[in-house]
Amino acid sequence: MEDVRTFLHFGVLLSSVLFTIGAAGEDYFPEAMDVQWVSNNFKTILTWGPEPTNYTYTVEFSRVGKDRQRNPHCIRSSRTECDLTNELRNLQETYSADILSEPLPGVTSDLVEFPYTRAERFSPYKHTKIGGPAFKIVQSEDKTKMTLHIQDPLTPLYKDDQLLTIRDIFKSDLKYRVIYNKAGSTGKKEKMSDLRDVELTNLDKGQSYCVIVAAYIPSRSAQKRLGDWSKAQCSPRENKTIFEEFSFGVISGAIGIMLAIFIILITLTVVCCKRCCCKKTKTVDKDNLQMSPV
């Protein structure tokens, strides 16, 4: 009888353990990994991995010290990214975000708190990457000055039904860094400007210059101050006449050399012709002597 009672107790204990393991297995939701903010010109997306299987992700975010909020498109979603551009409207604030691993919609769980991964704190003003700007080169009439007309990159943010540019946001904190050099040369010059129209002066007339431009935000940390570089553009090289390309002395020297060569060629030609004529005359005289009667 005692053996039967012991066996029953063991069976109940084993069933309880197996049930607990099974329940824990059903409520296992892996935490998100590789959480990153991807932000370009204030277009801000939170990304992570891996792709979920039999569970979903929910994103919660807030300004530091404020109540947490949720984006309706990022609740119990199978996607591994969440666009928070329109939620992070206070651009100079610092935000935190959590990615919760939750059951599929309609599925319940006994977990009181779901696993989550916290993203690094993020401030759009301080951390968004600024793309390389487009610009146009205009040369002065004397070809010794270039003006760069830089286009402030657009953002996806609106105010009064108008798209904002990065200048609308950074205002006087926005500068442009310009690097330029003669085409084919490694020597570079640099200029910093607060304006969209940048003048490059004291250029060598007729030379082609290549230029790249990047936004520069001095209030940021050192690693975040410089934006992406633009594509390089080069001014056209002026097609000069021979009199504009070379000095009078060089041209005179070249003409003198050409005349000397010409005179030498004529002289050699005359000498060769005289020798040929003289040789021919001697041959004719010899022949006449041989044919004369004795």
Side-chain angles (χ1 to χ4, degrees):
M1 187 68 177
E2 189 68 27
D3 292 339
V4 173
R5 186 177 299 175
T6 303
F7 179 77
L8 289 175
H9 284 165
F10 178 76
V12 170
L13 179 62
L14 181 61
S15 298
S16 177
V17 170
L18 292 175
F19 177 79
T20 302
I21 293 174
E26 290 178 359
D27 286 345
Y28 174 68
F29 308 115
E31 294 180 359
M33 298 185 297
D34 300 324
V35 180
Q36 297 181 42
W37 293 98
V38 179
S39 185
N40 294 283
N41 294 343
F42 296 97
K43 173 76 171 177
T44 302
I45 298 174
L46 187 63
T47 68
W48 64 89
E51 295 286 341
T53 304
N54 297 327
Y55 66 99
T56 59
Y57 293 114
T58 294
V59 174
E60 292 184 346
F61 66 94
S62 69
R63 286 185 284 168
V64 174
K66 303 295 182 180
D67 294 336
R68 304 194 74 75
Q69 304 175 55
R70 291 186 172 188
N71 181 320
H73 301 291
C74 305
I75 298 176
R76 294 206 174 184
S77 169
S78 61
R79 295 182 300 172
T80 56
E81 64 176 38
C82 182
D83 189 340
L84 295 174
T85 301
N86 293 321
E87 279 72 24
L88 312 185
R89 299 290 296 185
N90 295 307
L91 301 177
Q92 297 200 35
E93 292 284 349
T94 299
Y95 293 86
S96 66
D98 292 339
I99 297 94
L100 286 70
S101 300
E102 297 184 325
L104 294 167
V107 177
T108 60
S109 172
D110 293 331
L111 291 179
V112 177
E113 183 176 337
F114 294 107
Y116 67 91
T117 302
R118 180 156 294 172
E120 292 183 359
R121 291 186 174 184
F122 175 79
S123 169
Y125 191 93
K126 295 178 181 178
H127 299 139
T128 194
K129 183 182 290 186
I130 306 301
F135 64 94
K136 182 180 179 182
I137 296 176
V138 177
Q139 287 183 303
S140 62
E141 291 186 6
D142 62 3
K143 311 298 182 183
T144 61
K145 181 177 75 174
M146 291 193 310
T147 302
L148 310 181
H149 298 290
I150 304 171
Q151 297 178 18
D152 296 325
L154 290 171
T155 75
L157 305 176
Y158 280 86
K159 184 177 181 180
D160 299 329
D161 296 327
Q162 295 289 329
L163 276 175
L164 299 178
T165 67
I166 62 169
R167 184 172 297 277
D168 295 325
I169 296 169
F170 290 115
K171 297 182 170 52
S172 61
D173 201 16
L174 171 64
K175 302 181 186 300
Y176 283 111
R177 183 178 175 186
V178 178
I179 293 180
Y180 61 102
N181 61 281
K182 291 181 183 179
S185 171
T186 57
K188 298 181 183 296
K189 294 183 178 181
E190 182 178 328
K191 183 169 184 176
M192 196 75 74
S193 175
D194 297 329
L195 307 175
R196 288 183 301 176
D197 297 331
V198 183
E199 288 189 351
L200 305 179
T201 57
N202 299 321
L203 305 179
D204 291 342
K205 186 176 180 180
Q207 289 289 332
S208 173
Y209 283 83
C210 296
V211 185
I212 55 174
V213 181
Y216 186 82
I217 315 298
S219 66
R220 287 182 164 190
S221 63
Q223 295 180 341
K224 299 289 184 180
R225 289 174 187 167
L226 190 66
D228 291 338
W229 287 105
S230 67
K231 292 182 179 179
Q233 290 192 49
C234 300
S235 62
R237 183 182 178 88
E238 184 180 4
N239 294 322
K240 295 182 177 181
T241 65
I242 189 172
F243 299 103
E244 293 175 323
E245 190 74 27
F246 300 102
S247 66
F248 177 76
V250 172
I251 295 174
S252 299
I255 293 174
I257 292 171
M258 291 175 65
L259 285 174
I261 293 172
F262 182 70
I263 292 170
I264 291 171
L265 288 174
I266 291 177
T267 302
L268 289 174
T269 302
V270 171
V271 170
C272 288
C273 288
K274 285 184 176 181
R275 286 183 178 180
C276 289
C277 290
C278 183
K279 186 176 181 180
K280 187 176 180 181
T281 303
K282 289 182 178 180
T283 302
V284 171
D285 292 343
K286 186 177 180 181
D287 291 341
N288 290 333
L289 288 172
Q290 290 177 352
M291 294 174 64
S292 300
V294 179

